[in-house]
Amino acid sequence: MAETARRRGGSRSDDRRSGERRSADQLFDRELDHLPPEARWREWMHRVEATIFAASEPVGRETLGKIVGKSCSIDLLIDDIREELRGRPYDLVAVAGGFRHLTRPAYADAIRSAFGTAGSNGRAVDLTQSDVLVLMCIGYFQPITRAELSSFFGKEISRDFIGHLRGAGLIASGPRSPTPGAPYTYVTTKEFLLEFGLDTLRDLPDFEALEDAGLLSKEKLLAGDILPGFADDGENNADADE
């Protein structure tokens, strides 16, 4: 009976907290109709920038929509904030489906000297050229199996190598491949987008444009000649699991 009473008391307490939250939401003035249009827009800008600044992850449009008026265009608001940040050492960028503050690339050396990393997202992922190339292949051709990755590079991509990228949170298991044995495929994650400053995978450079610029060759990729020394870089992660 005592336990039942505690449960009932807990339920009433939860209801009271929910009611308080609802009341707070109702008291929060999103529309700001009492302000003239210019002052209203300025206050919305401040709210959005403060919210993004305080967040540890990119903030989506749906979240930002809770603190501005229904008629407010988030994209136009962001454009105005970015215009005011022009000339500042940081910017407001679209990344991983939301918005966040990122330092500008020109200050990477200063940040690296101060903290030992140039990361503007607070993460220090130590990626080799081989890591980046494998991630690039997964990004462009996902979902992709480990065997398919190995065929691209002309060298076994080991489970340890894949485990290293998974451990960094940059890739995850995708659907099983319909090929014999139904091996796992791999796909990129939100952390991949964050690491490379992409809003969506559509922001990856066009593959043909990279070829035209001489930065990437599909023939070399398929021939396993995309990066001299890749074998040496990958040996540390090699195993004989298959």
Side-chain angles (χ1 to χ4, degrees), residues 128-171:
T128 66
Q129 283 184 304
S130 298
D131 292 336
V132 172
L133 283 171
V134 171
L135 285 169
M136 176 195 69
C137 286
I138 296 173
Y140 279 111
F141 303 116
Q142 62 187 299
I144 187 171
T145 67
R146 188 163 63 91
E148 289 169 331
L149 285 170
S150 297
S151 70
F152 276 137
F153 290 96
K155 183 190 183 300
E156 174 101 7
I157 302 298
S158 72
R159 286 180 177 174
D160 284 348
F161 194 101
I162 293 295
H164 162 63
L165 298 180
R166 285 182 59 123
L170 298 169
I171 64 172

Coordinates of all heavy atoms in Angstrom, one line a residue, residues 128-171:
T128 N 44.1 9.3 -40.8 CA 45.2 9.3 -41.8 C 44.6 9.5 -43.2 O 43.4 9.5 -43.3 CB 45.8 7.9 -41.7 OG1 44.9 6.9 -42.1 CG2 46.3 7.6 -40.3
Q129 N 45.5 9.6 -44.1 CA 45.0 9.7 -45.5 C 44.2 8.5 -45.9 O 43.2 8.6 -46.6 CB 46.2 9.9 -46.5 CG 46.8 11.3 -46.4 CD 47.9 11.5 -47.5 OE1 48.8 10.8 -47.5 NE2 47.7 12.4 -48.4
S130 N 44.6 7.3 -45.5 CA 43.9 6.1 -45.8 C 42.5 6.1 -45.2 O 41.5 5.7 -45.8 CB 44.7 4.9 -45.3 OG 45.9 4.8 -45.9
D131 N 42.4 6.6 -43.9 CA 41.1 6.7 -43.3 C 40.2 7.6 -44.1 O 39.0 7.2 -44.4 CB 41.2 7.3 -41.9 CG 42.0 6.5 -40.9 OD1 42.0 5.2 -41.1 OD2 42.5 7.0 -39.9
V132 N 40.7 8.7 -44.5 CA 39.9 9.7 -45.3 C 39.4 9.1 -46.6 O 38.3 9.2 -47.1 CB 40.6 11.0 -45.5 CG1 39.9 11.9 -46.5 CG2 40.9 11.7 -44.2
L133 N 40.3 8.4 -47.3 CA 40.0 7.8 -48.6 C 38.9 6.7 -48.5 O 38.0 6.6 -49.3 CB 41.2 7.2 -49.3 CG 42.1 8.3 -49.9 CD1 43.4 7.7 -50.4 CD2 41.4 9.0 -51.1
V134 N 39.1 5.9 -47.4 CA 38.1 4.8 -47.2 C 36.7 5.5 -46.9 O 35.7 5.0 -47.4 CB 38.5 3.8 -46.1 CG1 37.4 2.9 -45.7 CG2 39.7 3.0 -46.6
L135 N 36.8 6.5 -46.0 CA 35.5 7.2 -45.7 C 34.9 7.8 -46.9 O 33.7 7.8 -47.1 CB 35.8 8.3 -44.6 CG 36.0 7.8 -43.2 CD1 36.6 8.9 -42.3 CD2 34.8 7.2 -42.6
M136 N 35.8 8.3 -47.8 CA 35.3 8.9 -49.0 C 34.5 7.9 -49.9 O 33.4 8.2 -50.4 CB 36.4 9.5 -49.8 CG 36.0 10.1 -51.2 SD 37.5 10.4 -52.2 CE 38.0 8.7 -52.5
C137 N 35.1 6.7 -50.0 CA 34.5 5.7 -50.8 C 33.2 5.2 -50.2 O 32.2 5.0 -50.9 CB 35.4 4.5 -50.9 SG 36.8 4.7 -52.0
I138 N 33.1 5.1 -48.8 CA 31.9 4.7 -48.2 C 30.8 5.8 -48.4 O 29.7 5.6 -48.7 CB 32.1 4.5 -46.7 CG1 33.0 3.3 -46.5 CG2 30.8 4.2 -46.0 CD1 33.4 3.0 -45.1
G139 N 31.3 7.1 -48.3 CA 30.4 8.2 -48.5 C 29.7 8.2 -49.8 O 28.5 8.5 -50.0
Y140 N 30.5 8.0 -50.9 CA 30.0 8.0 -52.3 C 29.2 6.8 -52.6 O 28.3 6.9 -53.4 CB 31.2 8.2 -53.2 CG 31.7 9.6 -53.4 CD1 32.9 10.0 -52.9 CD2 30.9 10.6 -54.0 CE1 33.4 11.3 -53.0 CE2 31.3 11.9 -54.1 CZ 32.6 12.3 -53.6 OH 33.0 13.5 -53.7
F141 N 29.7 5.6 -52.2 CA 29.1 4.4 -52.7 C 28.3 3.6 -51.7 O 27.9 2.4 -51.9 CB 30.3 3.5 -53.2 CG 31.1 4.2 -54.2 CD1 32.4 4.4 -54.0 CD2 30.5 4.5 -55.5 CE1 33.2 5.1 -55.0 CE2 31.3 5.2 -56.4 CZ 32.6 5.4 -56.2
Q142 N 28.0 4.1 -50.5 CA 27.2 3.4 -49.5 C 25.8 3.1 -50.0 O 25.3 3.8 -50.8 CB 27.1 4.3 -48.2 CG 26.4 5.6 -48.4 CD 26.5 6.4 -47.1 OE1 26.1 6.0 -46.1 NE2 27.2 7.6 -47.2
P143 N 25.3 2.0 -49.5 CA 25.9 1.0 -48.6 C 26.9 0.1 -49.3 O 26.6 -0.3 -50.5 CB 24.7 0.2 -48.1 CG 23.7 0.2 -49.2 CD 23.9 1.6 -49.8
I144 N 28.1 -0.1 -48.7 CA 29.1 -0.9 -49.4 C 29.8 -1.9 -48.4 O 29.8 -1.6 -47.2 CB 30.2 0.1 -49.9 CG1 31.3 -0.5 -50.7 CG2 30.8 0.9 -48.7 CD1 32.2 0.4 -51.4
T145 N 30.1 -3.0 -49.0 CA 30.7 -4.1 -48.1 C 32.2 -3.9 -48.0 O 32.9 -3.2 -48.8 CB 30.5 -5.5 -48.7 OG1 31.2 -5.6 -50.0 CG2 29.0 -5.7 -49.0
R146 N 32.8 -4.6 -47.0 CA 34.3 -4.5 -46.9 C 35.0 -5.1 -48.1 O 36.0 -4.7 -48.5 CB 34.6 -5.3 -45.6 CG 36.1 -5.2 -45.2 CD 36.3 -5.6 -43.7 NE 35.9 -7.0 -43.5 CZ 36.8 -7.9 -43.6 NH1 38.1 -7.7 -43.9 NH2 36.4 -9.2 -43.3
A147 N 34.4 -6.2 -48.7 CA 35.0 -6.8 -49.8 C 35.0 -5.8 -51.0 O 36.0 -5.8 -51.8 CB 34.3 -8.1 -50.2
E148 N 33.9 -5.1 -51.2 CA 33.9 -4.1 -52.2 C 34.9 -3.0 -52.0 O 35.6 -2.5 -52.9 CB 32.5 -3.5 -52.3 CG 31.5 -4.5 -52.9 CD 30.0 -4.0 -52.7 OE1 29.7 -3.2 -51.8 OE2 29.2 -4.4 -53.6
L149 N 35.1 -2.6 -50.8 CA 36.1 -1.6 -50.4 C 37.5 -2.1 -50.8 O 38.3 -1.4 -51.3 CB 36.1 -1.2 -49.0 CG 34.9 -0.3 -48.5 CD1 34.9 -0.2 -47.0 CD2 35.1 1.1 -49.1
S150 N 37.7 -3.4 -50.4 CA 39.0 -4.0 -50.7 C 39.3 -4.0 -52.2 O 40.4 -3.8 -52.7 CB 39.1 -5.4 -50.2 OG 38.9 -5.4 -48.7
S151 N 38.2 -4.3 -53.0 CA 38.4 -4.3 -54.5 C 38.7 -2.9 -55.0 O 39.5 -2.8 -56.0 CB 37.2 -4.9 -55.2 OG 36.1 -3.9 -55.1
F152 N 38.2 -1.9 -54.4 CA 38.5 -0.5 -54.8 C 40.0 -0.3 -54.7 O 40.6 0.3 -55.5 CB 37.7 0.5 -54.0 CG 36.3 0.7 -54.6 CD1 35.3 0.8 -53.7 CD2 36.1 0.9 -55.9 CE1 34.0 1.0 -54.1 CE2 34.8 1.1 -56.4 CZ 33.8 1.2 -55.5
F153 N 40.5 -0.7 -53.5 CA 41.9 -0.3 -53.2 C 42.9 -1.3 -53.6 O 44.1 -1.1 -53.4 CB 42.0 0.0 -51.7 CG 41.3 1.3 -51.3 CD1 40.0 1.3 -50.8 CD2 41.9 2.5 -51.5 CE1 39.4 2.4 -50.4 CE2 41.3 3.7 -51.1 CZ 40.0 3.6 -50.6
G154 N 42.5 -2.5 -54.1 CA 43.4 -3.5 -54.5 C 44.2 -4.1 -53.3 O 45.3 -4.6 -53.4
K155 N 43.6 -4.0 -52.1 CA 44.3 -4.5 -50.9 C 43.2 -4.7 -49.8 O 42.2 -4.0 -49.8 CB 45.3 -3.4 -50.3 CG 46.0 -3.9 -49.1 CD 46.8 -2.8 -48.4 CE 47.6 -3.3 -47.2 NZ 46.7 -4.0 -46.2
E156 N 43.4 -5.7 -49.0 CA 42.4 -6.1 -48.0 C 42.2 -4.9 -47.0 O 43.1 -4.4 -46.5 CB 42.9 -7.3 -47.2 CG 42.1 -7.6 -46.0 CD 41.1 -8.8 -46.3 OE1 41.3 -9.4 -47.3 OE2 40.3 -9.1 -45.4
I157 N 40.9 -4.5 -46.9 CA 40.5 -3.6 -45.8 C 40.1 -4.4 -44.7 O 39.1 -5.1 -44.7 CB 39.4 -2.7 -46.3 CG1 39.8 -1.9 -47.6 CG2 39.0 -1.7 -45.2 CD1 40.9 -1.0 -47.4
S158 N 40.9 -4.4 -43.6 CA 40.7 -5.4 -42.5 C 39.6 -5.0 -41.6 O 39.1 -3.9 -41.6 CB 42.0 -5.5 -41.7 OG 42.2 -4.3 -40.9
R159 N 39.1 -6.0 -40.8 CA 38.1 -5.7 -39.8 C 38.6 -4.7 -38.8 O 37.8 -3.9 -38.3 CB 37.7 -7.0 -39.2 CG 36.8 -7.9 -40.0 CD 36.5 -9.2 -39.3 NE 35.6 -10.0 -40.1 CZ 35.2 -11.2 -39.7 NH1 35.6 -11.7 -38.6 NH2 34.4 -11.9 -40.5
D160 N 39.9 -4.7 -38.5 CA 40.4 -3.8 -37.5 C 40.3 -2.4 -38.1 O 40.0 -1.4 -37.4 CB 41.9 -4.1 -37.2 CG 42.0 -5.3 -36.2 OD1 41.0 -5.7 -35.7 OD2 43.1 -5.8 -36.1
F161 N 40.6 -2.2 -39.4 CA 40.5 -0.9 -40.0 C 39.1 -0.4 -40.0 O 38.8 0.8 -39.6 CB 41.0 -1.0 -41.5 CG 41.2 0.3 -42.2 CD1 42.5 0.7 -42.3 CD2 40.2 1.1 -42.6 CE1 42.8 1.9 -42.9 CE2 40.5 2.3 -43.2 CZ 41.8 2.7 -43.4
I162 N 38.1 -1.2 -40.3 CA 36.7 -0.8 -40.2 C 36.3 -0.5 -38.8 O 35.6 0.4 -38.5 CB 35.8 -2.0 -40.8 CG1 36.0 -2.1 -42.3 CG2 34.3 -1.7 -40.5 CD1 35.6 -0.9 -43.1
G163 N 36.8 -1.4 -37.9 CA 36.5 -1.2 -36.4 C 37.1 0.2 -35.9 O 36.4 0.8 -35.1
H164 N 38.2 0.6 -36.5 CA 38.8 1.9 -36.1 C 37.8 3.0 -36.5 O 37.5 4.0 -35.7 CB 40.1 2.1 -36.8 CG 40.6 3.5 -36.9 ND1 40.9 4.2 -35.7 CD2 40.9 4.3 -37.9 CE1 41.3 5.4 -36.1 NE2 41.3 5.5 -37.4
L165 N 37.3 3.0 -37.7 CA 36.3 4.0 -38.2 C 35.0 3.9 -37.5 O 34.4 5.0 -37.2 CB 36.1 3.8 -39.7 CG 37.4 4.0 -40.6 CD1 37.0 3.8 -42.1 CD2 38.0 5.4 -40.4
R166 N 34.6 2.7 -37.1 CA 33.4 2.6 -36.4 C 33.5 3.1 -34.9 O 32.7 3.8 -34.4 CB 32.9 1.1 -36.3 CG 32.3 0.6 -37.6 CD 31.9 -0.9 -37.4 NE 30.9 -1.0 -36.3 CZ 29.7 -1.5 -36.4 NH1 29.3 -2.0 -37.6 NH2 28.9 -1.6 -35.4
G167 N 34.7 2.8 -34.4 CA 35.0 3.3 -33.0 C 35.0 4.8 -32.9 O 34.7 5.4 -31.9
A168 N 35.4 5.5 -34.0 CA 35.4 6.9 -34.1 C 33.9 7.5 -34.4 O 33.7 8.7 -34.3 CB 36.3 7.4 -35.2
G169 N 33.0 6.5 -34.6 CA 31.6 7.0 -34.8 C 31.3 7.5 -36.2 O 30.3 8.1 -36.4
L170 N 32.3 7.3 -37.1 CA 32.1 7.9 -38.5 C 31.4 7.0 -39.4 O 30.9 7.5 -40.4 CB 33.5 8.2 -39.0 CG 34.3 9.2 -38.2 CD1 35.8 9.2 -38.7 CD2 33.7 10.6 -38.3
I171 N 31.3 5.7 -39.1 CA 30.5 4.8 -40.0 C 29.7 3.8 -39.1 O 30.0 3.7 -37.9 CB 31.4 3.9 -40.9 CG1 32.4 3.0 -40.1 CG2 32.2 4.8 -41.9 CD1 33.1 2.0 -41.0

